Amino acid sequence: MTALADVQHALNTIRDITNKEQAAVRLEVLRLMATMIADEARDIEGVKVKTTQTKRSKPLPTLPLPKSVNTPKPTQAAPTQQVSQQDFEPIQAIKPIAPK
């Protein structure tokens, strides 16, 4: 087979596979194919894709963290909670009420 026939066979296979898929998958396949086509066209034309990377002369300063009004100061001790003895006493079971 020639290269053109191989490509046609591959495209027909892709079409057969994607016809059974949902629209989102079909659109993703088309996006991939369009990306490959654009890359091949650039290679043929000899055009190099310019990547835009911004270089910073100095790093950006970090922002200070805001202090919350509700945050306790580290020197203050957290108040201890008093637990009543009633919380630890066993609970008596209550007999269920029969339906009338």
Side-chain angles (χ1 to χ4, degrees):
M1 292 184 125
T2 64
L4 191 57
D6 290 342
V7 170
Q8 185 64 47
H9 179 69
L11 289 173
N12 287 336
T13 303
I14 292 169
R15 178 179 286 157
D16 290 341
I17 293 170
T18 57
N19 280 339
K20 301 170 190 169
E21 296 295 326
Q22 294 179 359
V25 175
R26 294 171 75 184
L27 287 173
E28 184 64 19
V29 169
L30 288 174
R31 187 191 66 76
L32 289 171
M33 290 172 57
T35 303
M36 289 300 299
I37 291 168
D39 288 345
E40 287 297 315
R42 281 189 214 102
D43 286 346
I44 292 170
E45 293 174 351
V47 176
K48 292 185 179 181
V49 178
K50 295 179 182 178
T51 57
T52 57
Q53 292 181 353
T54 57
K55 294 183 179 179
R56 294 189 175 121
S57 58
K58 60 181 180 177
L60 295 175
T62 58
L63 296 175
L65 295 175
K67 293 185 179 181
S68 174
V69 177
N70 297 330
T71 306
K73 294 180 181 178
T75 57
Q76 293 177 345
T80 58
Q81 296 179 352
Q82 296 292 332
V83 179
S84 68
Q85 188 64 21
Q86 186 180 7
D87 292 341
F88 295 108
E89 292 178 9
I91 300 173
Q92 280 188 327
I94 301 173
K95 291 183 181 181
I97 301 172
K100 294 181 182 179

